[in-house]
Amino acid sequence: MAAPVANVVVLDRDGVINEDSGDFIKSVEEWHAIPGSLEAIARLGSAGFRVAVITNQSGVARGLLTEATLRDIHRHMSAAVELAGGRLAGIYYCPHHPDDGCDCRKPRSGLLHRLAADLGCSLTGAPFIGDRLSDLLAAEAVGARPILVRTG
């Protein structure tokens, strides 16, 4: 029996939820929500969608921040979403360097497969909102619907 179709919206983090930085987001203090993004997540939740985040975070492999700091940033982001009335169904990240050849770094689909398994659903047709080609390619790899936002 096939997994049920998702009532999930997948979001990239940097450039979709928060302001991106060419120098990486390395601390809670550097994380700044894009105006309206937290409220949009809350509205999606109110409409019955589960919202999950899939993000490449090679700053960890580059030694720019630790996984503990990344967890702090994600706790801060989750709290900000909750303060706006929303909830995140999960945050999935790839801490590897682009040259590591892992299966979780977008455009590869490892994180999306883990998300689908955790939520017990198919991501076929689920919106995946991103600001880079790697987001769109990852969405296509699992049959999700890629949506590009032009925040840069």
Side-chain angles (χ1 to χ4, degrees), residues 12 14-16 20 54 56 105-109 112 128-142 144-152:
D12 175 47
D14 301 328
V16 175
D20 202 354
I54 302 285
N56 289 340
R105 184 174 177 79
K106 296 177 292 180
R108 293 184 182 95
S109 57
L112 288 160
F128 184 145
I129 302 168
D131 66 327
R132 297 179 185 269
L133 179 60
S134 60
D135 300 320
L136 306 180
L137 294 173
E140 289 176 349
V142 297
R145 184 167 40 109
I147 299 171
L148 177 68
V149 293
R150 298 179 61 183
T151 54

Side-chain angles (χ1 to χ4, degrees), residues 31-133:
W31 187 91
H32 302 285
I34 293 172
S37 67
L38 305 177
E39 296 79 7
I41 293 169
R43 286 194 304 276
L44 286 167
S46 294
F49 290 95
R50 296 176 288 176
V51 179
V53 176
I54 302 285
T55 180
N56 289 340
Q57 294 298 319
S58 68
V60 173
R62 296 170 195 269
L64 301 174
L65 72 159
T66 64
E67 285 200 63
T69 299
L70 183 59
R71 283 191 297 275
D72 289 343
I73 293 167
H74 288 163
R75 276 194 289 273
H76 176 75
M77 177 177 67
S78 292
V81 167
E82 289 175 13
L83 189 61
R87 184 179 172 283
L88 295 175
I91 301 170
Y92 298 80
Y93 65 91
C94 172
H96 304 111
H97 190 277
D99 297 333
D100 286 348
C102 64
D103 75 339
C104 57
R105 184 174 177 79
K106 296 177 292 180
R108 293 184 182 95
S109 57
L111 293 177
L112 288 160
H113 288 295
R114 188 173 350 146
L115 166 64
D118 287 353
L119 296 183
C121 65
S122 167
L123 296 178
T124 300
F128 184 145
I129 302 168
D131 66 327
R132 297 179 185 269
L133 179 60

